[in-house]
Amino acid sequence: MIDIVNLHKSFGDSHVLKGITTSFEKGKTNLIIGQSGSGKTVLMKCLLGLLIPDDGIISYDGRRFAELSGDERRNLRQDMGMVFQGSALFDSMTVEGNVMFPLEMFTNQSRSEMEDRVNFVLKRVNLVDAHKKFPSEISGGMQKRVAIARAIVMKPKYLFCDEPNSGLDPNTAILIDNLIQEITKEYDIITVVNSHDMNSVMEIGEKIIFLKNGVKEWEGTNKEIFRTDNKAITDFVYSSELFKKVRQMYQEEQD
Amino acid sequence: MNYLSDIGSYAIMVREVFKKPTKWPIMRNLILKEIDELIFGSLGIIIFISIFIGGVVAIQTALNLTNPLIPKNLIGFATRQSVILEFAPTFTSIIMAGKVGSYITSSIGTMRVTEQIDALEVMGVNSLNYLVFPKIIAMLFYPFIVAIAMYVGIFGGWIANVLGAHSSSAEFVEGLKLDFISFHVTYSFIKSVVFAFIIATIPSFHGYYMKGGALDVGKASTVAFVWTSVAIIILNFILTQLLLG
Ligand SMILES: Nc1ncnc2c1ncn2[C@@H]1O[C@H](COP(=O)(O)OP(=O)(O)OP(=O)(O)O)[C@@H](O)[C@H]1O
Ligand SMILES: [Mg+2]
């Protein structure tokens, strides 16, 4: 369980997170949704300790993150996997090198064991023929998938994905969503996903937190989100014409 | 005030570099890569510059020797002294601050702006150890470059002297041996070890803690070069006072 209590974060004059309180549960895909600039990435970086919150508490299974020593923090982080919004692949390494990196750093596996594991995760993200290419030689969507492979290669206990399927075609996006959910169930881990993709919301939104201007405006499940009357949510969810239509038809059906 | 807090953060960074070491097989590869990049990659330019600097020192000494009472072997003597005491250790270090320093700042700075450093940290890697430690170790080989710069610089002086017929080869070599104090070479190596540490760490500091985007990487490199040079010049003064004064 990851607990967040009254989290605040400002950059100079701009108050980005204004007192967020929520929790993320084990074995579930937790979604943070909200418009561009609403503070999703900042919230996720605070969770990982990449940004230091101005106020509030973050605890991992009861252990307060801010109170951990440098070494304890690093040990905890070995159990985390993170997919950055911009992929953040090591550009001096090949695709294979990137995915193998955490294994080389933190396990004592033999070369062939590592290769097997790398092949396995790359296959799971549907990437089979790019092992020897460098990040600059593959497309943005492929980079994203390599980043996902790198994040899951160590079987993390906590998986954070910052817009894992932005920039992917609809089929691959669904594949990635399903993969994230499968992994969450399979390893019974805590997964937190930033997204503004409604497909993801429908597919994997077991717990959804809706951020608006740095405030948690709404919290619930993907079943509830389509029934809520919260104006901000409906504006966000039905921003696309397609969804407006679906909602209209759904309501007509109900009447 | 700002400078003071920068010096504080620099000290904290240096301490962090030596914490939670990276696994040796990986670190060994990183060190070898940095030796290749920082040391071997700099040999060409250092040899080139040293030859010409040595030559210029010899010519200028010769041209100022108008008094017939001063022995001709002064040319060799002056070349040896200037090359060993200052040109090889200090001048070479300023060039390294430009060449190696800008490489270090821009490579680490790029990793910062593209979140690769964050990615390392999230995995639980001590990114300062991973990125900066191999550079410090590789730069421990820097005194070899300085030694080469000494030989080549003096050789350049000899060539210029002989080609310009300022003194005979024998007189030049006699000057080279005149009043030779081996501690001067030690002094020079001590300086170069200190400068090596500066060249590895100050540019790393500016790359690691930079903020902004790609454009700021260039700015950070320039700022890093200025501060590395300033640190070298000041430490050169202090070390000379301590060791020779
Ligand atoms: N390092 C920073 N310095 C200053 N302001 C920042 C910084 N990082 C984020 N911000 C500001 O915080 C706000 C929230 O940014 P954030 O990246 O969290 O948005 P987001 O919800 O992830 O948006 P998107 O969906 O576009 O990724 C923005 O207004 C941004 O300008
Ligand atoms: Mg974002």
Side-chain angles (χ1 to χ4, degrees):
Chain A
M1 184 102 138
I2 304 176
D3 289 295
I4 305 171
V5 183
N6 195 27
L7 198 70
H8 285 269
K9 176 71 188 172
S10 303
F11 297 98
D13 289 340
S14 79
H15 200 169
V16 176
L17 298 181
K18 302 166 187 159
I20 309 270
T21 300
T22 189
S23 60
F24 300 118
E25 290 158 44
K26 209 169 153 192
K28 278 193 181 171
T29 42
N30 302 274
L31 244 57
I32 304 172
I33 62 171
Q35 280 179 354
S36 187
S38 55
K40 302 184 295 294
T41 299
V42 172
L43 174 58
M44 192 170 268
K45 286 192 174 171
C46 286
L47 288 180
L48 290 146
L50 294 173
L51 290 173
I52 307 201
D54 303 325
D55 197 10
I57 299 168
I58 294 166
S59 48
Y60 282 83
D61 298 319
R63 296 179 357 161
R64 289 192 184 190
F65 193 79
E67 287 167 8
L68 299 179
S69 71
D71 279 345
E72 286 173 326
R73 195 168 293 191
R74 283 182 191 119
N75 288 338
L76 175 63
R77 280 174 170 170
Q78 285 177 28
D79 289 331
M80 295 180 177
M82 164 85 185
V83 179
F84 285 83
Q85 193 163 357
S87 297
L89 298 179
F90 303 123
D91 42 31
S92 60
M93 298 176 198
T94 59
V95 164
E96 186 177 43
N98 266 281
V99 180
M100 203 179 277
F101 183 80
L103 297 174
E104 285 179 328
M105 280 310 256
F106 299 114
T107 72
N108 292 316
Q109 295 179 6
S110 71
R111 184 86 200 165
S112 68
E113 283 173 309
M114 289 194 274
E115 274 169 7
D116 286 348
R117 178 76 190 152
V118 168
N119 290 338
F120 176 75
V121 289
L122 280 175
K123 208 166 173 176
R124 281 199 86 160
V125 295
N126 223 3
L127 207 63
V128 284
D129 48 5
H131 286 56
K132 300 291 172 209
K133 294 210 167 96
F134 284 91
S136 58
E137 298 168 340
I138 59 178
S139 74
M142 289 162 90
Q143 290 176 4
K144 210 98 245 186
R145 284 182 276 159
V146 177
I148 294 168
R150 186 176 68 179
I152 62 174
V153 73
M154 289 279 282
K155 303 182 185 162
K157 287 193 192 134
Y158 311 96
L159 179 61
F160 300 91
C161 305
D162 198 352
E163 309 204 5
N165 51 20
S166 65
L168 298 181
D169 62 277
N171 285 332
T172 316
I174 290 171
L175 185 120
I176 293 298
D177 279 343
N178 290 340
L179 171 67
I180 289 172
Q181 185 153 41
E182 265 169 50
I183 288 166
T184 307
K185 301 291 171 210
E186 198 175 315
Y187 303 134
D188 195 26
I189 61 176
I190 302 179
T191 302
V192 182
V193 180
N194 282 355
S195 180
H196 35 52
D197 178 45
M198 287 316 295
N199 247 325
S200 308
V201 171
M202 309 238 301
E203 287 273 337
I204 60 170
E206 290 175 284
K207 165 154 187 178
I208 300 167
I209 291 156
F210 176 64
L211 287 191
K212 192 177 176 199
N213 299 326
V215 176
K216 186 183 82 179
E217 182 76 30
W218 185 87
E219 179 174 316
T221 66
N222 54 358
K223 309 237 163 33
E224 291 159 359
I225 201 167
F226 295 99
R227 290 194 215 110
T228 176
D229 291 325
N230 185 315
K231 173 92 170 60
I233 274 276
T234 46
D235 281 354
F236 178 77
V237 172
Y238 302 108
S239 54
S240 104
E241 288 304 317
L242 177 65
F243 278 113
K244 273 185 196 140
K245 202 106 194 166
V246 173
R247 181 175 163 89
Q248 204 181 355
M249 281 160 58
Y250 178 76
Q251 278 172 341
E252 277 163 14
E253 218 171 85
Q254 298 279 302
D255 292 338
Chain B
M1 264 333 274
N2 234 337
Y3 296 138
L4 281 184
S5 82
D6 273 359
I7 292 172
S9 332
Y10 170 76
I12 292 170
M13 178 199 90
V14 170
R15 201 185 55 190
E16 205 61 32
V17 167
F18 294 95
K19 283 191 184 163
K20 197 182 185 228
T22 305
K23 263 166 98 171
W24 173 242
I26 295 178
M27 184 49 78
R28 184 189 53 212
N29 287 341
L30 292 172
I31 292 173
L32 292 177
K33 230 179 85 203
E34 297 293 4
I35 290 176
D36 193 41
E37 184 75 43
L38 306 181
I39 302 295
F40 289 112
S42 307
L43 276 180
I45 179 85
I46 296 299
I47 288 174
F48 175 78
I49 290 175
S50 300
I51 283 199
F52 281 88
I53 290 287
V56 168
V57 171
I59 294 170
Q60 288 188 345
T61 314
L63 294 181
N64 286 303
L65 271 187
T66 42
N67 187 336
L69 290 179
I70 300 175
K72 287 281 185 206
N73 64 16
L74 183 68
I75 301 173
F77 178 77
T79 306
R80 183 197 79 204
Q81 288 301 84
S82 349
V83 168
I84 288 183
L85 291 175
E86 283 311 315
F87 284 111
T90 313
F91 194 76
T92 306
S93 296
I94 299 287
I95 293 165
M96 290 290 276
K99 186 189 178 292
V100 167
S102 61
Y103 158 78
I104 292 178
T105 309
S106 58
S107 62
I108 296 184
T110 304
M111 290 188 72
R112 168 60 74 195
V113 302
T114 55
E115 297 182 316
Q116 292 176 52
I117 292 181
D118 286 341
L120 284 171
E121 282 294 322
V122 167
M123 288 174 191
V125 176
N126 177 357
S127 59
L128 277 170
N129 176 266
Y130 182 83
L131 295 170
V132 182
F133 186 75
K135 296 184 170 66
I136 294 177
I137 301 302
M139 283 301 284
L140 288 180
F141 290 87
Y142 177 56
F144 288 104
I145 292 197
V146 172
I148 290 171
M150 287 178 186
Y151 276 104
V152 174
I154 291 172
F155 181 61
W158 177 81
I159 294 178
N161 175 67
V162 173
L163 287 184
H166 299 295
S167 72
S168 71
S169 171
E171 278 169 322
F172 188 89
V173 173
E174 189 190 316
L176 288 184
K177 293 182 191 156
L178 191 68
D179 294 334
F180 179 73
I181 302 170
S182 66
F183 182 69
H184 285 176
V185 178
T186 313
Y187 152 82
S188 197
F189 283 144
I190 293 174
K191 285 208 300 191
S192 55
V193 171
V194 174
F195 296 162
F197 187 78
I198 294 297
I199 294 168
T201 51
I202 293 187
S204 296
F205 174 76
H206 285 275
Y208 192 85
Y209 291 106
M210 68 157 298
K211 293 195 167 70
L215 196 62
D216 302 283
V217 175
K219 284 185 199 150
S221 301
T222 313
V223 174
F225 173 67
V226 171
W227 285 113
T228 312
S229 312
V230 168
I232 288 173
I233 298 295
I234 292 175
L235 283 168
N236 186 35
F237 180 82
I238 294 172
L239 287 172
T240 306
Q241 186 64 42
L242 285 178
L243 297 170
L244 297 183

